[in-house]
Amino acid sequence: MIAVINENKRKKYLALIHTQKARAALTDEEYASFLLATAGVESASKIKTPEDFRQVISGLNKILIAKDLEPLERRRTKDDAFLNAIKTRANAVLGSRAEKRLSGFLNKMGKANLEDCNPHELRRVMGFITNIERKG
């Protein structure tokens, strides 16, 4: 399953990337080359997945560090921590079938991936995992 990012998070990622680019004082050519090498796109607006956004942000942070500048990170939220807890617990409880089982449950909820879920929906997903753990 290819994760797709919701529009609100996408805008936040894009703002962070453009702030990093400006702080690193990258030319448009350097920036386009970096994006092409890192995410396979010439413009950050064409990035599709959370993983690609994270790779670009991480790569730009490395450039900032190399230039003796403070790296920038997107702020982690409680939802991010809960999202990571769900993924960890799903892998522990569901094992190698975790991704497939979660994908099926998310499809029933009308969601493409965990990142699209609001806090209430994330609690539903954790409840799903807990029910499987109790039955198993």
mmCIF file of all heavy atoms in Angstrom, residues 81-121:
data_model
loop_
_atom_site.group_PDB
_atom_site.id
_atom_site.type_symbol
_atom_site.label_atom_id
_atom_site.label_comp_id
_atom_site.label_asym_id
_atom_site.label_seq_id
_atom_site.Cartn_x
_atom_site.Cartn_y
_atom_site.Cartn_z
ATOM 1 N N ALA A 81 2.978 10.388 17.777
ATOM 2 C CA ALA A 81 3.430 9.405 18.756
ATOM 3 C C ALA A 81 2.455 8.230 18.809
ATOM 4 O O ALA A 81 2.871 7.068 18.862
ATOM 5 C CB ALA A 81 3.576 10.055 20.134
ATOM 6 N N PHE A 82 1.158 8.519 18.782
ATOM 7 C CA PHE A 82 0.150 7.460 18.817
ATOM 8 C C PHE A 82 0.205 6.642 17.538
ATOM 9 O O PHE A 82 0.075 5.410 17.566
ATOM 10 C CB PHE A 82 -1.235 8.067 19.025
ATOM 11 C CG PHE A 82 -2.300 7.057 19.388
ATOM 12 C CD1 PHE A 82 -2.052 6.057 20.312
ATOM 13 C CD2 PHE A 82 -3.548 7.127 18.812
ATOM 14 C CE1 PHE A 82 -3.031 5.134 20.648
ATOM 15 C CE2 PHE A 82 -4.541 6.214 19.137
ATOM 16 C CZ PHE A 82 -4.281 5.213 20.063
ATOM 17 N N LEU A 83 0.433 7.299 16.422
ATOM 18 C CA LEU A 83 0.569 6.619 15.141
ATOM 19 C C LEU A 83 1.732 5.625 15.185
ATOM 20 O O LEU A 83 1.601 4.476 14.763
ATOM 21 C CB LEU A 83 0.784 7.649 14.036
ATOM 22 C CG LEU A 83 0.769 7.168 12.620
ATOM 23 C CD1 LEU A 83 -0.657 6.880 12.182
ATOM 24 C CD2 LEU A 83 1.357 8.223 11.725
ATOM 25 N N ASN A 84 2.857 6.050 15.719
ATOM 26 C CA ASN A 84 4.012 5.159 15.849
ATOM 27 C C ASN A 84 3.721 4.012 16.807
ATOM 28 O O ASN A 84 4.147 2.875 16.574
ATOM 29 C CB ASN A 84 5.241 5.940 16.301
ATOM 30 C CG ASN A 84 5.769 6.835 15.213
ATOM 31 O OD1 ASN A 84 5.574 6.572 14.036
ATOM 32 N ND2 ASN A 84 6.436 7.909 15.602
ATOM 33 N N ALA A 85 2.972 4.285 17.887
ATOM 34 C CA ALA A 85 2.608 3.225 18.834
ATOM 35 C C ALA A 85 1.717 2.189 18.156
ATOM 36 O O ALA A 85 1.873 0.981 18.379
ATOM 37 C CB ALA A 85 1.906 3.829 20.051
ATOM 38 N N ILE A 86 0.794 2.652 17.327
ATOM 39 C CA ILE A 86 -0.084 1.729 16.601
ATOM 40 C C ILE A 86 0.729 0.845 15.669
ATOM 41 O O ILE A 86 0.539 -0.374 15.621
ATOM 42 C CB ILE A 86 -1.163 2.505 15.813
ATOM 43 C CG1 ILE A 86 -2.176 3.126 16.771
ATOM 44 C CG2 ILE A 86 -1.862 1.602 14.792
ATOM 45 C CD1 ILE A 86 -3.138 4.092 16.105
ATOM 46 N N LYS A 87 1.642 1.432 14.923
ATOM 47 C CA LYS A 87 2.468 0.653 13.988
ATOM 48 C C LYS A 87 3.306 -0.385 14.729
ATOM 49 O O LYS A 87 3.407 -1.541 14.306
ATOM 50 C CB LYS A 87 3.360 1.583 13.169
ATOM 51 C CG LYS A 87 2.594 2.420 12.173
ATOM 52 C CD LYS A 87 3.508 3.377 11.436
ATOM 53 C CE LYS A 87 2.737 4.245 10.460
ATOM 54 N NZ LYS A 87 3.587 5.208 9.768
ATOM 55 N N THR A 88 3.892 0.015 15.834
ATOM 56 C CA THR A 88 4.713 -0.907 16.629
ATOM 57 C C THR A 88 3.872 -2.042 17.174
ATOM 58 O O THR A 88 4.247 -3.212 17.097
ATOM 59 C CB THR A 88 5.404 -0.146 17.783
ATOM 60 O OG1 THR A 88 6.209 0.891 17.226
ATOM 61 C CG2 THR A 88 6.254 -1.070 18.622
ATOM 62 N N ARG A 89 2.724 -1.693 17.731
ATOM 63 C CA ARG A 89 1.851 -2.718 18.314
ATOM 64 C C ARG A 89 1.301 -3.636 17.231
ATOM 65 O O ARG A 89 1.201 -4.841 17.420
ATOM 66 C CB ARG A 89 0.707 -2.042 19.063
ATOM 67 C CG ARG A 89 -0.204 -3.006 19.772
ATOM 68 C CD ARG A 89 -0.341 -2.657 21.224
ATOM 69 N NE ARG A 89 -1.156 -3.620 21.910
ATOM 70 C CZ ARG A 89 -2.357 -3.347 22.408
ATOM 71 N NH1 ARG A 89 -2.843 -2.130 22.321
ATOM 72 N NH2 ARG A 89 -3.041 -4.286 23.018
ATOM 73 N N ALA A 90 0.945 -3.076 16.078
ATOM 74 C CA ALA A 90 0.428 -3.894 14.972
ATOM 75 C C ALA A 90 1.475 -4.902 14.525
ATOM 76 O O ALA A 90 1.161 -6.075 14.314
ATOM 77 C CB ALA A 90 0.007 -3.004 13.812
ATOM 78 N N ASN A 91 2.711 -4.467 14.416
ATOM 79 C CA ASN A 91 3.777 -5.395 14.014
ATOM 80 C C ASN A 91 3.986 -6.483 15.062
ATOM 81 O O ASN A 91 4.218 -7.637 14.715
ATOM 82 C CB ASN A 91 5.078 -4.632 13.760
ATOM 83 C CG ASN A 91 5.023 -3.840 12.475
ATOM 84 O OD1 ASN A 91 4.349 -4.212 11.532
ATOM 85 N ND2 ASN A 91 5.722 -2.722 12.441
ATOM 86 N N ALA A 92 3.884 -6.125 16.341
ATOM 87 C CA ALA A 92 4.073 -7.105 17.405
ATOM 88 C C ALA A 92 2.922 -8.109 17.446
ATOM 89 O O ALA A 92 3.143 -9.309 17.622
ATOM 90 C CB ALA A 92 4.201 -6.396 18.757
ATOM 91 N N VAL A 93 1.691 -7.639 17.286
ATOM 92 C CA VAL A 93 0.515 -8.502 17.401
ATOM 93 C C VAL A 93 0.230 -9.256 16.107
ATOM 94 O O VAL A 93 -0.072 -10.443 16.124
ATOM 95 C CB VAL A 93 -0.725 -7.667 17.819
ATOM 96 C CG1 VAL A 93 -1.995 -8.493 17.756
ATOM 97 C CG2 VAL A 93 -0.522 -7.083 19.209
ATOM 98 N N LEU A 94 0.341 -8.573 14.979
ATOM 99 C CA LEU A 94 -0.051 -9.160 13.704
ATOM 100 C C LEU A 94 1.109 -9.777 12.924
ATOM 101 O O LEU A 94 0.879 -10.494 11.958
ATOM 102 C CB LEU A 94 -0.740 -8.099 12.836
ATOM 103 C CG LEU A 94 -1.957 -7.412 13.464
ATOM 104 C CD1 LEU A 94 -2.417 -6.264 12.594
ATOM 105 C CD2 LEU A 94 -3.070 -8.407 13.705
ATOM 106 N N GLY A 95 2.320 -9.447 13.309
ATOM 107 C CA GLY A 95 3.492 -10.010 12.661
ATOM 108 C C GLY A 95 3.597 -9.619 11.196
ATOM 109 O O GLY A 95 3.335 -8.477 10.821
ATOM 110 N N SER A 96 3.938 -10.584 10.364
ATOM 111 C CA SER A 96 4.185 -10.307 8.947
ATOM 112 C C SER A 96 2.923 -9.891 8.194
ATOM 113 O O SER A 96 3.005 -9.336 7.110
ATOM 114 C CB SER A 96 4.803 -11.531 8.271
ATOM 115 O OG SER A 96 3.897 -12.621 8.335
ATOM 116 N N ARG A 97 1.764 -10.140 8.783
ATOM 117 C CA ARG A 97 0.502 -9.780 8.128
ATOM 118 C C ARG A 97 0.015 -8.398 8.560
ATOM 119 O O ARG A 97 -1.083 -7.988 8.190
ATOM 120 C CB ARG A 97 -0.566 -10.811 8.469
ATOM 121 C CG ARG A 97 -0.201 -12.220 8.048
ATOM 122 C CD ARG A 97 -1.234 -13.202 8.490
ATOM 123 N NE ARG A 97 -1.537 -12.978 9.913
ATOM 124 C CZ ARG A 97 -2.483 -13.606 10.582
ATOM 125 N NH1 ARG A 97 -3.223 -14.487 9.987
ATOM 126 N NH2 ARG A 97 -2.697 -13.348 11.857
ATOM 127 N N ALA A 98 0.788 -7.676 9.337
ATOM 128 C CA ALA A 98 0.346 -6.400 9.905
ATOM 129 C C ALA A 98 -0.123 -5.418 8.846
ATOM 130 O O ALA A 98 -1.220 -4.856 8.951
ATOM 131 C CB ALA A 98 1.458 -5.786 10.757
ATOM 132 N N GLU A 99 0.679 -5.194 7.836
ATOM 133 C CA GLU A 99 0.336 -4.201 6.823
ATOM 134 C C GLU A 99 -0.952 -4.568 6.095
ATOM 135 O O GLU A 99 -1.822 -3.722 5.888
ATOM 136 C CB GLU A 99 1.483 -4.038 5.829
ATOM 137 C CG GLU A 99 1.286 -2.873 4.890
ATOM 138 C CD GLU A 99 2.501 -2.600 4.025
ATOM 139 O OE1 GLU A 99 3.635 -2.705 4.520
ATOM 140 O OE2 GLU A 99 2.290 -2.273 2.851
ATOM 141 N N LYS A 100 -1.102 -5.830 5.730
ATOM 142 C CA LYS A 100 -2.287 -6.273 5.007
ATOM 143 C C LYS A 100 -3.536 -6.173 5.870
ATOM 144 O O LYS A 100 -4.579 -5.688 5.422
ATOM 145 C CB LYS A 100 -2.097 -7.706 4.521
ATOM 146 C CG LYS A 100 -3.209 -8.209 3.645
ATOM 147 C CD LYS A 100 -2.917 -9.574 3.096
ATOM 148 C CE LYS A 100 -4.049 -10.026 2.195
ATOM 149 N NZ LYS A 100 -3.812 -11.335 1.637
ATOM 150 N N ARG A 101 -3.436 -6.592 7.134
ATOM 151 C CA ARG A 101 -4.593 -6.536 8.036
ATOM 152 C C ARG A 101 -5.003 -5.096 8.318
ATOM 153 O O ARG A 101 -6.179 -4.766 8.320
ATOM 154 C CB ARG A 101 -4.286 -7.253 9.356
ATOM 155 C CG ARG A 101 -4.035 -8.739 9.269
ATOM 156 C CD ARG A 101 -5.277 -9.582 9.046
ATOM 157 N NE ARG A 101 -6.317 -9.465 10.042
ATOM 158 C CZ ARG A 101 -6.441 -10.220 11.117
ATOM 159 N NH1 ARG A 101 -5.556 -11.165 11.368
ATOM 160 N NH2 ARG A 101 -7.446 -10.046 11.947
ATOM 161 N N LEU A 102 -4.016 -4.231 8.568
ATOM 162 C CA LEU A 102 -4.330 -2.823 8.807
ATOM 163 C C LEU A 102 -4.952 -2.182 7.570
ATOM 164 O O LEU A 102 -5.902 -1.416 7.680
ATOM 165 C CB LEU A 102 -3.077 -2.046 9.220
ATOM 166 C CG LEU A 102 -2.629 -2.194 10.658
ATOM 167 C CD1 LEU A 102 -1.341 -1.406 10.893
ATOM 168 C CD2 LEU A 102 -3.693 -1.756 11.628
ATOM 169 N N SER A 103 -4.417 -2.508 6.417
ATOM 170 C CA SER A 103 -4.944 -1.961 5.167
ATOM 171 C C SER A 103 -6.406 -2.346 4.981
ATOM 172 O O SER A 103 -7.239 -1.506 4.616
ATOM 173 C CB SER A 103 -4.105 -2.463 3.989
ATOM 174 O OG SER A 103 -4.640 -1.984 2.785
ATOM 175 N N GLY A 104 -6.734 -3.592 5.260
ATOM 176 C CA GLY A 104 -8.124 -4.047 5.151
ATOM 177 C C GLY A 104 -9.044 -3.319 6.110
ATOM 178 O O GLY A 104 -10.152 -2.902 5.746
ATOM 179 N N PHE A 105 -8.597 -3.153 7.349
ATOM 180 C CA PHE A 105 -9.408 -2.445 8.342
ATOM 181 C C PHE A 105 -9.582 -0.979 7.955
ATOM 182 O O PHE A 105 -10.679 -0.422 8.047
ATOM 183 C CB PHE A 105 -8.782 -2.563 9.736
ATOM 184 C CG PHE A 105 -9.634 -1.977 10.823
ATOM 185 C CD1 PHE A 105 -10.784 -2.620 11.246
ATOM 186 C CD2 PHE A 105 -9.293 -0.772 11.407
ATOM 187 C CE1 PHE A 105 -11.591 -2.072 12.247
ATOM 188 C CE2 PHE A 105 -10.085 -0.213 12.404
ATOM 189 C CZ PHE A 105 -11.234 -0.867 12.824
ATOM 190 N N LEU A 106 -8.499 -0.360 7.499
ATOM 191 C CA LEU A 106 -8.572 1.039 7.087
ATOM 192 C C LEU A 106 -9.507 1.224 5.887
ATOM 193 O O LEU A 106 -10.244 2.209 5.810
ATOM 194 C CB LEU A 106 -7.179 1.585 6.771
ATOM 195 C CG LEU A 106 -6.271 1.786 7.981
ATOM 196 C CD1 LEU A 106 -4.838 2.058 7.534
ATOM 197 C CD2 LEU A 106 -6.769 2.906 8.871
ATOM 198 N N ASN A 107 -9.487 0.280 4.957
ATOM 199 C CA ASN A 107 -10.388 0.347 3.803
ATOM 200 C C ASN A 107 -11.845 0.328 4.250
ATOM 201 O O ASN A 107 -12.678 1.055 3.702
ATOM 202 C CB ASN A 107 -10.126 -0.791 2.824
ATOM 203 C CG ASN A 107 -8.888 -0.548 1.986
ATOM 204 O OD1 ASN A 107 -8.458 0.577 1.810
ATOM 205 N ND2 ASN A 107 -8.301 -1.620 1.481
ATOM 206 N N LYS A 108 -12.159 -0.494 5.267
ATOM 207 C CA LYS A 108 -13.533 -0.543 5.792
ATOM 208 C C LYS A 108 -13.924 0.794 6.417
ATOM 209 O O LYS A 108 -15.092 1.161 6.421
ATOM 210 C CB LYS A 108 -13.664 -1.651 6.833
ATOM 211 C CG LYS A 108 -13.622 -3.027 6.237
ATOM 212 C CD LYS A 108 -13.721 -4.090 7.304
ATOM 213 C CE LYS A 108 -13.578 -5.472 6.690
ATOM 214 N NZ LYS A 108 -13.608 -6.518 7.706
ATOM 215 N N MET A 109 -12.937 1.512 6.942
ATOM 216 C CA MET A 109 -13.191 2.826 7.540
ATOM 217 C C MET A 109 -13.208 3.927 6.479
ATOM 218 O O MET A 109 -13.494 5.087 6.775
ATOM 219 C CB MET A 109 -12.104 3.160 8.577
ATOM 220 C CG MET A 109 -12.149 2.309 9.814
ATOM 221 S SD MET A 109 -10.753 2.603 10.951
ATOM 222 C CE MET A 109 -10.759 4.368 11.144
ATOM 223 N N GLY A 110 -12.847 3.583 5.244
ATOM 224 C CA GLY A 110 -12.803 4.570 4.172
ATOM 225 C C GLY A 110 -11.527 5.398 4.171
ATOM 226 O O GLY A 110 -11.508 6.512 3.661
ATOM 227 N N LYS A 111 -10.455 4.838 4.730
ATOM 228 C CA LYS A 111 -9.171 5.540 4.814
ATOM 229 C C LYS A 111 -8.125 4.795 3.997
ATOM 230 O O LYS A 111 -8.116 3.561 3.948
ATOM 231 C CB LYS A 111 -8.690 5.644 6.267
ATOM 232 C CG LYS A 111 -9.632 6.402 7.171
ATOM 233 C CD LYS A 111 -9.672 7.855 6.782
ATOM 234 C CE LYS A 111 -10.637 8.637 7.635
ATOM 235 N NZ LYS A 111 -10.662 10.041 7.300
ATOM 236 N N ALA A 112 -7.227 5.553 3.363
ATOM 237 C CA ALA A 112 -6.174 4.941 2.557
ATOM 238 C C ALA A 112 -5.005 4.491 3.425
ATOM 239 O O ALA A 112 -4.338 3.515 3.112
ATOM 240 C CB ALA A 112 -5.686 5.924 1.500
ATOM 241 N N ASN A 113 -4.729 5.223 4.515
ATOM 242 C CA ASN A 113 -3.598 4.880 5.381
ATOM 243 C C ASN A 113 -3.785 5.501 6.757
ATOM 244 O O ASN A 113 -4.692 6.316 6.967
ATOM 245 C CB ASN A 113 -2.275 5.320 4.746
ATOM 246 C CG ASN A 113 -2.269 6.792 4.437
ATOM 247 O OD1 ASN A 113 -2.460 7.623 5.315
ATOM 248 N ND2 ASN A 113 -2.058 7.130 3.171
ATOM 249 N N LEU A 114 -2.944 5.125 7.686
ATOM 250 C CA LEU A 114 -3.043 5.617 9.062
ATOM 251 C C LEU A 114 -2.889 7.129 9.159
ATOM 252 O O LEU A 114 -3.514 7.768 10.004
ATOM 253 C CB LEU A 114 -1.984 4.941 9.949
ATOM 254 C CG LEU A 114 -2.233 3.489 10.318
ATOM 255 C CD1 LEU A 114 -1.006 2.896 11.012
ATOM 256 C CD2 LEU A 114 -3.459 3.351 11.190
ATOM 257 N N GLU A 115 -2.048 7.702 8.319
ATOM 258 C CA GLU A 115 -1.792 9.139 8.372
ATOM 259 C C GLU A 115 -3.039 9.973 8.074
ATOM 260 O O GLU A 115 -3.114 11.140 8.446
ATOM 261 C CB GLU A 115 -0.656 9.532 7.416
ATOM 262 C CG GLU A 115 0.718 9.117 7.887
ATOM 263 C CD GLU A 115 1.042 7.646 7.634
ATOM 264 O OE1 GLU A 115 0.243 6.935 6.984
ATOM 265 O OE2 GLU A 115 2.099 7.204 8.098
ATOM 266 N N ASP A 116 -4.029 9.372 7.416
ATOM 267 C CA ASP A 116 -5.267 10.082 7.099
ATOM 268 C C ASP A 116 -6.276 10.052 8.241
ATOM 269 O O ASP A 116 -7.307 10.703 8.167
ATOM 270 C CB ASP A 116 -5.929 9.479 5.854
ATOM 271 C CG ASP A 116 -5.163 9.771 4.588
ATOM 272 O OD1 ASP A 116 -4.346 10.713 4.581
ATOM 273 O OD2 ASP A 116 -5.374 9.048 3.600
ATOM 274 N N CYS A 117 -5.991 9.285 9.277
ATOM 275 C CA CYS A 117 -6.941 9.110 10.372
ATOM 276 C C CYS A 117 -6.860 10.249 11.380
ATOM 277 O O CYS A 117 -5.774 10.740 11.695
ATOM 278 C CB CYS A 117 -6.664 7.797 11.106
ATOM 279 S SG CYS A 117 -6.984 6.326 10.100
ATOM 280 N N ASN A 118 -8.018 10.627 11.906
ATOM 281 C CA ASN A 118 -8.055 11.600 12.999
ATOM 282 C C ASN A 118 -7.852 10.840 14.319
ATOM 283 O O ASN A 118 -7.814 9.602 14.316
ATOM 284 C CB ASN A 118 -9.365 12.402 12.967
ATOM 285 C CG ASN A 118 -10.597 11.546 13.199
ATOM 286 O OD1 ASN A 118 -10.597 10.600 13.988
ATOM 287 N ND2 ASN A 118 -11.677 11.876 12.510
ATOM 288 N N PRO A 119 -7.704 11.529 15.443
ATOM 289 C CA PRO A 119 -7.443 10.839 16.718
ATOM 290 C C PRO A 119 -8.488 9.779 17.076
ATOM 291 O O PRO A 119 -8.137 8.698 17.556
ATOM 292 C CB PRO A 119 -7.425 11.970 17.745
ATOM 293 C CG PRO A 119 -6.978 13.159 16.964
ATOM 294 C CD PRO A 119 -7.602 12.989 15.602
ATOM 295 N N HIS A 120 -9.755 10.064 16.823
ATOM 296 C CA HIS A 120 -10.802 9.081 17.118
ATOM 297 C C HIS A 120 -10.610 7.813 16.275
ATOM 298 O O HIS A 120 -10.731 6.691 16.770
ATOM 299 C CB HIS A 120 -12.179 9.693 16.860
ATOM 300 C CG HIS A 120 -13.303 8.720 17.000
ATOM 301 N ND1 HIS A 120 -13.717 8.242 18.224
ATOM 302 C CD2 HIS A 120 -14.077 8.107 16.065
ATOM 303 C CE1 HIS A 120 -14.707 7.381 18.032
ATOM 304 N NE2 HIS A 120 -14.939 7.286 16.733
ATOM 305 N N GLU A 121 -10.320 7.997 15.008
ATOM 306 C CA GLU A 121 -10.114 6.852 14.117
ATOM 307 C C GLU A 121 -8.866 6.064 14.498
ATOM 308 O O GLU A 121 -8.843 4.829 14.404
ATOM 309 C CB GLU A 121 -10.043 7.327 12.668
ATOM 310 C CG GLU A 121 -11.370 7.876 12.169
ATOM 311 C CD GLU A 121 -11.255 8.707 10.911
ATOM 312 O OE1 GLU A 121 -10.170 9.274 10.640
ATOM 313 O OE2 GLU A 121 -12.272 8.809 10.194
#
